[in-house]
Amino acid sequence: MAPAIPRAVAADGTELHLVPLPPTRLPRVQKRDLEQAWEAAHRAARAGAEGPRRGFRFAGGPDVVLRDRDARVWASSVDRIADLSTAHGVSVCLRLLGLVALLAQGGWAARFVRLDRGAAELDGALLGAAARTGLTDTGALDENALRAQLLPCHSEEQSPCRARS
């Protein structure tokens, strides 16, 4: 069993997860992990949940600080279901936040999301690819690798992940 990722509190009150490896070495996760994280994050947002100031300090850098209120809420929801004191939990969190950032750009990934009456459905192919795709040195999803997995052979057989807004 891997050792727990310790937490510390910075001078400004930010809760820091002291990850003893770089983001590129975090484990891949399962598609189901991201489905659960997506659903939990939407439930927390609908409930008006709050999240503490939070960040990740990686071995050799960088520090990733979640300044956005929504990102903090989403990270807190991942902490409840996947435990941010584990490399797996941190990996799920960064992948979820990476997906949200990618979707917010509204570019090529928009074709993998369907918005309908307050619901956001993510294509299962997108979630599966995000689970398999590596993270960059800055903790973001490797967009080029993700895109390469999806655009050549987008599969209609993958079931979407639904979340109501």
Side-chain angles (χ1 to χ4, degrees), residues 34-125:
L34 289 178
E35 289 170 340
Q36 291 172 337
W38 177 258
E39 294 291 339
H42 276 278
R43 281 193 305 273
R46 277 194 315 276
E50 295 286 328
R53 289 183 298 195
R54 182 185 304 267
F56 301 94
R57 176 163 289 156
F58 292 96
D63 285 356
V64 175
V65 179
L66 306 180
R67 301 191 193 295
D68 180 79
R69 180 196 170 280
D70 292 330
R72 292 191 311 263
V73 169
W74 287 46
S76 292
S77 68
V78 172
D79 195 15
R80 285 189 291 280
I81 66 163
D83 190 3
L84 294 179
S85 67
T86 67
H88 175 264
V90 173
S91 187
V92 170
C93 185
L94 291 178
R95 289 165 194 282
L96 177 66
L97 294 174
L99 268 177
V100 171
L102 182 63
L103 296 171
Q105 294 172 3
W108 66 269
R111 72 179 75 187
F112 297 95
V113 180
R114 192 176 84 197
L115 301 174
D116 183 34
R117 292 185 221 161
E121 293 183 26
L122 293 185
D123 188 297

Side-chain angles (χ1 to χ4, degrees), residues 31 35 122-129 132 150 153-161:
K31 175 184 161 201
E35 289 170 340
L122 293 185
D123 188 297
L126 176 65
L127 290 167
R132 291 185 302 273
L150 291 167
C153 56
H154 176 236
S155 169
E156 294 297 327
E157 63 193 59
Q158 299 277 351
S159 61
C161 175

Side-chain angles (χ1 to χ4, degrees), residues 14-35:
T14 299
E15 182 178 328
L16 288 174
H17 301 270
L18 307 174
V19 185
L21 58 155
T24 56
R25 302 247 343 258
L26 287 171
R28 304 295 198 271
V29 300
Q30 299 296 311
K31 175 184 161 201
R32 184 69 189 135
D33 296 326
L34 289 178
E35 289 170 340

